[in-house]
Amino acid sequence: MSTTTSHTPPESEGLEPGERTDRLTQNGSATEIPVHLLYRDDTEPLDPVKVPLKPAVVARRPDTGEQPDAEPPAPERRRPRPEIDPELVERPARVLPGAAGALAGVCGITGCLATSWWAGQLPPAAVEVLRLPASLGAGLGPAQWAAYTGASVLGIFGFGGLTRGRTGRAWVLGLFGRYRGTVRRTGLLWVNPLLPRHRVDVRLRHWRSEPMSAADPDGVPLKVAVLVVWRMRDTARATLGVEDHEAYLRECVEAALARVPVEPAGGTDGGVTAAGDELTRLVAQETEPVGLEVFAVQPLRVEYVPEVAAAMHRRWIARLDAGQRAGMLDSVVDSVEDTVTRLTGRGLVELDDYERKVLVRDLTVAFCAGRGEPA
């Protein structure tokens, strides 16, 4: 047998404990390796790796009552809203008090009379009534025609621009197809007569629709008549943003009825009240971009279509009868239980199981007969 002995290089003799040697021995041969490569103290820190975190789905553990973590709800997808010209926003139009227009009109008439007197065209009777001096009789020359034109234009513009603003009404003004402003002021006003005017009603309105198609929570078709309370908030968008704001409101109501189930009165999910709140929210959201403000959309009459009206009526009667019977039965059971408990608790009677069953049966029959219902 051969014995293997380890060879210790003489360079390693006499080293203190914990002191490193600069050479490694392998097969009797020494190789120098830089120490800073084996023990690096100046290692640069590594950049942290960013790992996207996702919500984990944990399944139910067997034989434990633990429920899995609920997944986060998916974000609601919002439908793109209709885009309206950003410049098409209601703004007040430039108007003058009515007194300014009346004064301009009076000045125009006075100028025409003065020009007629200057040209000698004023009748003598009018001169005497107005107590004017004798006319110069200059005739109708270019100067007189120019004065006539200026005075006439002033009078026409002064009296032609006078208008009366009423409470609850407004004027939408435009020029060459461009929106120029809205007049909401009341009283006597002067508005540029060259601007076309479109009168709109900004009062609170009630619109009652004819029966529209809808469905209940079970998908059974209905005919629903709704009452919409609304008004025109932005006259510029309501008048110029859509072709017909009333037709647009009607279409929005029909679209909302197609999305919201309407439950007849007496239902378990809130009936027409809950449906009305949801309809109001949807219609107000759809009509806001066109300047209409909706306050309430309430179903007035909810009826099943004739094809299913009879069947749904029978179902409703059966459901109502079942509810009444269930309530009556609960009342009878409570009465029988209370009677038997009081009799046995006070020691008035001693009953075994058979006698207790017979007493309960007799009392149940008696109470049901007393309420007018068959046992």
Side-chain angles (χ1 to χ4, degrees):
M1 294 180 63
S2 60
T3 304
T4 303
T5 59
S6 60
H7 176 72
T8 304
E11 291 81 2
S12 63
E13 296 178 359
L15 293 178
E16 296 294 332
E19 184 178 356
R20 296 196 299 254
T21 179
D22 292 345
R23 295 187 179 183
L24 297 178
T25 304
Q26 182 178 5
N27 297 331
S29 61
T31 303
E32 294 184 359
I33 301 178
V35 178
H36 70 278
L37 295 179
L38 297 177
Y39 306 91
R40 297 185 63 183
D41 297 332
D42 55 346
T43 305
E44 298 180 358
L46 298 177
D47 295 336
V49 179
K50 297 181 179 180
V51 180
L53 300 179
K54 298 181 179 180
V57 179
V58 181
R60 180 187 295 180
R61 297 180 181 178
D63 300 333
T64 63
E66 298 181 3
Q67 298 290 336
D69 295 342
E71 296 184 1
E76 183 180 358
R77 297 181 59 185
R78 296 183 178 179
R79 297 183 302 166
R81 302 180 65 178
E83 296 183 0
I84 304 295
D85 186 0
E87 297 183 358
L88 195 61
V89 179
E90 180 180 326
R91 59 180 181 272
R94 297 179 180 179
V95 295
L96 296 177
L103 180 61
V106 171
C107 291
I109 294 177
T110 304
C112 291
L113 292 176
T115 304
S116 299
W117 171 82
W118 179 25
Q121 303 297 322
L122 197 64
V127 173
E128 292 179 1
V129 171
L130 297 176
R131 296 180 181 181
L132 297 176
S135 175
L136 298 177
L140 293 176
Q144 287 76 13
W145 282 115
Y148 265 128
T149 302
S152 301
V153 170
L154 182 61
I156 292 175
F157 264 76
F159 288 118
L162 292 178
T163 185
R164 183 180 61 175
R166 299 182 179 180
T167 303
R169 303 293 177 92
W171 294 97
V172 177
L173 308 182
L175 181 62
F176 302 118
R178 183 178 180 183
Y179 173 66
R180 306 299 296 180
T182 299
V183 180
R184 285 181 178 260
R185 296 172 57 179
T186 58
L188 186 62
L189 306 171
W190 183 86
V191 183
N192 188 349
L194 298 179
L195 299 179
R197 311 171 193 176
H198 181 73
R199 174 176 288 183
V200 294
D201 190 350
V202 295
R203 295 175 296 180
L204 195 66
R205 305 192 206 180
H206 294 75
W207 175 65
R208 179 169 181 163
S209 70
E210 68 278 1
M212 297 182 176
S213 299
D216 66 357
D218 297 330
V220 181
L222 300 170
K223 287 295 183 180
V224 181
V226 299
L227 177 67
V228 183
V229 182
W230 66 284
R231 73 176 178 182
M232 190 180 300
R233 180 176 54 85
D234 192 314
T235 57
R237 292 191 173 185
T239 307
L240 307 175
V242 292
E243 184 176 359
D244 188 350
H245 55 272
E246 294 186 356
Y248 183 82
L249 177 64
R250 172 191 174 87
E251 298 297 334
C252 290
V253 172
E254 290 185 354
L257 284 174
R259 298 168 55 187
V260 177
V262 180
E263 188 178 16
T268 59
D269 297 335
V272 295
T273 302
D277 295 340
E278 185 65 17
L279 288 173
T280 302
R281 185 185 67 83
L282 291 178
V283 176
Q285 182 179 359
E286 295 294 335
T287 57
E288 181 183 2
V290 297
L292 301 182
E293 186 175 7
V294 176
F295 297 96
V297 180
Q298 293 296 331
L300 294 181
R301 188 174 68 253
V302 182
E303 298 177 351
Y304 288 99
V305 295
E307 292 79 5
V308 298
M312 297 307 298
H313 181 71
R314 289 194 298 268
R315 180 185 297 182
W316 180 78
I317 293 297
R319 185 183 304 173
L320 181 63
D321 184 67
Q324 291 179 350
R325 288 179 179 272
M328 184 204 67
L329 183 60
D330 292 340
S331 177
V332 169
V333 170
D334 293 339
S335 300
V336 170
E337 182 182 6
D338 182 65
T339 302
V340 174
T341 302
R342 294 177 65 181
L343 289 175
T344 57
R346 295 183 182 183
L348 299 177
V349 293
E350 294 182 0
L351 305 173
D352 55 11
D353 293 341
Y354 177 76
E355 292 174 343
R356 179 184 292 272
K357 293 179 181 179
V358 172
L359 179 61
V360 169
R361 183 191 63 187
D362 295 341
L363 289 175
T364 302
V365 172
F367 286 156
C368 290
R371 295 175 180 268
E373 294 290 340

